[in-house]
């Protein structure tokens, strides 16, 4: 009997030892998981969320690509090659819009807009290709056809009326580089990629720091780009929470153009209404930091012993609430196109700018027109912002998305502004 009892006691001790080993292993795994979660949480706390918004064709995606080029590793060869089909499609789409537009304009003015008889066949062929869903690879022969049609006087006249059509901003750039684009060994350059136009669908994001992620003086940002067309905007809402700053892009040059998706709507009026709507979103009012465990409380944890349960440790959690109003950065984009257009196309073509009166010529008039548009957006901001939110950070920047030096300078200014805001809210300024 005694031997059986001793044997059972041995088995029990062995089992307890086995259970203790399992518990220790499980506790170690739990501790490792908690350590990783804590590390990720700390890392996330230092990442500032930026939301890039604006109507379609405002230049948001070009800004996004510039950030990748400026503050990340840029595009490797495989990424550059992935743009070949996009760039070839842009060439076909551009010449189709111009050819179809010339036929439409020729109904009222044949002498100016009718394609020459020797180029009509080329035009019909290219228009058919441009209507397809699958564009052929751009060959030297097709590039020559596009180039021939592009040089037709009627097409040049049509391009001058591009604001009445949906001629993309990249038209001149790609039409002037057709032979290079059609080279069998063609690999797009950074400039080609920046000019390439493909409508953003869904949400894309990028993480970067304007001064380098390893430098303590700089913040790390996560920038989200979303489609600007009307049918894409329903995807914006779920990104509105926890935003450090909204970067809203408005294309200065589109005051006399209509929407791609609604040709009865002026693009600048659409931008005005969209900016007004974004400003009124209540979720941009405050940010709340997450619950955290105070380390001093953790050191004084209460331990309760129980014969059956063992030892349990209870930690007190502190709720730390930081009231932080989302900052707004307005990028008045496409200034390069605006300064070439505004002296010839009246700014008051847009209903919002109907009271604009030119006061000078040349560079002075360009600057006067820009300041007028800037003031209209400033007035809209204060009219659309609730009284308890007017003290949030609001800055306006003149930008040209294709100008890498200007984009770099602008984002360093944005970084400086947001860092100063963070120091101010922490009571350090």
């Amino acid at each position: 009997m005694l031997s059986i009892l001793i044997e059972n006691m041995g088995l029990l001790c062995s089992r307890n030892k086995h259970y203790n080993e399992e518990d220790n292993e499980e506790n170690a795994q739990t501790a490792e998981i908690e350590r990783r979660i804590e590390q990720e949480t700390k890392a996330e706390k230092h990442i500032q969320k930026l939301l890039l918004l604006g109507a379609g064709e405002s230049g948001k995606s070009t800004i996004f690509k510039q950030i990748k080029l400026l503050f990340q590793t840029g595009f490797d060869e495989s990424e550059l090659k992935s743009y070949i089909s996009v760039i070839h499609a842009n060439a076909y789409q551009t010449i189709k819009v111009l050819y179809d537009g010339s036929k439409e304009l020729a109904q009222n003015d044949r002498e100016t807009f009718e394609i020459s008889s020797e180029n009509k066949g080329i035009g019909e062929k290219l228009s058919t290709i441009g209507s397809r869903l699958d564009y052929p690879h751009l060959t030297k022969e097709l590039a020559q056809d596009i180039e021939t049609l592009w040089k037709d006087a009627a097409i040049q006249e049509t391009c001058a009326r591009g604001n009445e059509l949906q001629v993309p901003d990249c038209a001149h750039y790609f039409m002037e580089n057709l032979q290079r684009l059609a080279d069998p060994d063609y690999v797009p350059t950074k400039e080609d990629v920046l000019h390439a136009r493909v409508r953003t669908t869904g949400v894309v994001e990028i993480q970067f720091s304007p001064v380098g992620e390893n430098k303590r003086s700089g913040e790390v940002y996560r920038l989200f780009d979303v489609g600007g067309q009307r049918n894409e905007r329903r995807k914006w809402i779920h990104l509105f929470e926890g935003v450090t700053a909204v970067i809203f892009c408005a294309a200065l040059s589109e005051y006399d153009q209509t929407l791609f998706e609604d040709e009865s709507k002026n693009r600048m009026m659409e931008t005005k209404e969209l900016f007004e709507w974004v400003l009124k979103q209540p979720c941009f009012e405050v940010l709340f930091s997450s619950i955290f465990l105070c380390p001093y409380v953790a050191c004084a944890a209460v331990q309760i012993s129980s014969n059956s349960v063992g030892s349990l440790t209870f930690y007190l959690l502190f709720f730390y609430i930081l009231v932080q109003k989302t900052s707004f950065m307005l990028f008045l984009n496409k200034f390069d196109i605006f300064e070439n257009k505004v002296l010839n196309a009246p700014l008051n073509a847009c209903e919002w700018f109907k009271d604009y009166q030119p006061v000078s010529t040349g560079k002075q008039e360009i600057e006067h027109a820009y300041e007028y548009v800037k003031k209209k957006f400033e007035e809209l901001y204060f009219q659309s912002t609730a009284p308890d939110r007017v003290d949030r950070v609001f800055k306006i920047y003149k930008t040209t998305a294709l100008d890498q030096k200007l984009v770099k300078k602008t984002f360093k200014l944005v970084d400086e502004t947001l860092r100063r805001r963070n120091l101010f809210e922490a009571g350090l300024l």
Side-chain angles (χ1 to χ4, degrees):
M1 185 73 178
L2 182 60
S3 62
I4 293 172
L5 181 61
I6 292 171
E7 184 180 347
N8 286 338
M9 287 176 65
L11 286 170
L12 183 61
C13 290
S14 176
R15 284 175 185 167
N16 284 338
K17 182 180 179 181
H18 178 65
Y19 290 148
N20 287 338
E21 287 176 354
E22 284 186 348
D23 289 344
N24 289 338
E25 186 178 344
E26 187 176 332
N27 289 338
Q29 290 175 348
T30 302
E32 176 62 18
I33 291 170
E34 289 175 351
R35 185 185 66 80
R36 289 182 182 178
I37 291 172
E38 186 179 357
Q39 284 181 339
E40 290 174 5
T41 303
K42 284 181 180 178
E44 285 292 321
K45 281 176 68 177
H46 295 290
I47 296 173
Q48 309 286 316
K49 182 178 177 181
L50 305 179
L51 194 54
L52 192 56
L53 300 179
E57 311 297 331
S58 61
K60 294 186 299 85
S61 297
T62 306
I63 297 257
F64 190 86
K65 286 185 279 190
Q66 284 281 28
I67 295 302
K68 184 175 175 67
L69 287 168
L70 285 165
F71 306 122
Q72 284 201 328
T73 56
F75 297 94
D76 59 32
E77 189 171 340
S78 64
E79 287 177 299
L80 290 172
K81 286 182 176 179
S82 72
Y83 275 91
I84 293 175
S85 59
V86 173
I87 290 167
H88 288 178
N90 286 169
Y92 289 124
Q93 291 160 355
T94 297
I95 203 65
K96 172 182 168 53
V97 168
L98 290 170
Y99 178 72
D100 292 351
S102 71
K103 289 201 298 182
E104 185 179 335
L105 292 171
Q107 293 175 10
N108 297 318
D109 186 352
R110 291 186 60 182
E111 185 177 346
T112 304
F113 297 104
E114 187 167 25
I115 302 292
S116 60
S117 56
E118 62 268 27
N119 290 334
K120 283 184 178 179
I122 295 175
E124 288 299 322
K125 179 175 80 172
L126 293 174
S127 181
T128 301
I129 291 174
S131 301
R132 290 166 51 176
L133 295 176
D134 55 330
Y135 301 105
H137 191 81
L138 186 64
T139 63
K140 288 286 186 179
E141 182 184 351
L142 284 168
Q144 186 59 57
D145 284 343
I146 296 174
E147 195 170 345
T148 299
L149 189 59
W150 165 250
K151 291 177 179 178
D152 191 292
I155 291 294
Q156 290 299 306
E157 291 290 344
T158 302
C159 194
R161 297 268 294 270
N163 64 300
E164 301 171 38
L165 308 167
Q166 296 295 335
V167 178
D169 295 332
C170 62
H172 282 273
Y173 180 84
F174 287 135
M175 292 299 102
E176 291 166 4
N177 287 277
L178 286 165
Q179 291 303 318
R180 181 172 62 83
L181 304 183
D183 191 286
D185 299 320
Y186 169 63
V187 175
T189 64
K190 290 187 295 184
E191 283 295 310
D192 294 344
V193 169
L194 289 173
H195 280 86
R197 178 70 190 106
V198 57
R199 289 187 182 84
T200 303
T201 56
V203 180
V204 288
E205 63 180 89
I206 194 171
Q207 190 165 302
F208 72 98
S209 173
V211 295
E213 289 195 33
N214 295 324
K215 296 184 181 179
R216 294 180 180 178
S217 60
E219 299 284 357
V220 177
Y221 298 103
R222 185 171 292 147
L223 179 68
F224 293 84
D225 180 26
V226 290
Q229 270 77 28
R230 287 176 174 177
N231 63 332
E232 290 291 324
R233 294 175 198 167
R234 56 187 169 79
K235 302 172 186 176
W236 293 9
I237 301 296
H238 75 279
L239 292 169
F240 282 3
E241 296 295 334
V243 174
T244 304
V246 170
I247 297 174
F248 190 94
C249 283
L252 284 165
S253 60
E254 296 184 342
Y255 59 87
D256 65 344
Q257 294 175 257
T258 59
L259 293 180
F260 176 83
E261 60 268 41
D262 179 3
E263 294 193 351
S264 66
K265 184 73 174 182
N266 178 276
R267 289 189 187 184
M268 186 60 79
M269 293 302 296
E270 178 81 356
T271 295
K272 171 187 178 290
E273 293 166 13
L274 185 59
F275 186 54
E276 189 175 10
W277 176 78
V278 170
L279 287 171
K280 291 179 178 179
Q281 293 306 301
C283 48
F284 291 140
E285 183 175 358
V286 293
L287 287 173
F288 297 95
S289 68
S290 57
I291 300 171
F292 75 100
L293 175 66
C294 177
Y296 301 105
V297 176
C299 292
V302 179
Q303 289 192 335
I304 301 176
S305 297
S306 167
N307 291 334
S308 59
V309 178
S311 180
L312 298 176
T313 302
F314 293 88
Y315 297 95
L316 297 181
L317 296 175
F318 271 42
F319 291 84
Y320 177 68
I321 301 177
L322 172 66
V323 178
Q324 189 179 60
K325 296 176 181 178
T326 299
S327 300
F328 275 80
M329 310 293 171
L330 175 62
F331 283 14
L332 294 180
N333 195 32
K334 299 190 180 183
F335 181 76
D336 56 333
I337 303 174
F338 177 79
E339 64 180 342
N340 289 324
K341 174 189 276 192
V342 74
L343 296 178
N344 302 309
L347 196 59
N348 52 24
C350 173
E351 177 67 19
W352 192 23
F353 305 149
K354 63 183 180 181
D355 60 343
Y356 177 75
Q357 293 295 326
V359 296
S360 185
T361 57
K363 289 186 177 180
Q364 282 187 318
E365 177 56 27
I366 293 169
E367 196 58 31
H368 173 67
Y370 168 76
E371 289 297 328
Y372 172 87
V373 176
K374 179 182 175 183
K375 186 178 179 182
K376 295 292 280 187
F377 274 101
E378 285 176 337
E379 291 172 350
L380 180 62
Y381 172 80
F382 288 107
Q383 290 167 5
S384 306
T385 302
D388 60 333
R389 295 190 227 172
V390 292
D391 59 340
R392 63 187 172 190
V393 175
F394 175 58
K395 297 284 185 180
I396 299 178
Y397 301 93
K398 182 195 298 182
T399 58
T400 295
L402 292 169
D403 186 335
Q404 194 169 77
K405 287 183 180 179
L406 182 56
V407 172
K408 185 176 184 179
K409 179 182 176 181
T410 302
F411 265 91
K412 287 196 172 183
L413 290 172
V414 169
D415 174 54
E416 183 181 336
T417 298
L418 294 178
R419 283 192 291 118
R420 286 181 64 83
R421 185 201 73 172
N422 292 340
L423 290 172
F424 177 79
E425 290 176 345
L428 300 175
L429 274 182

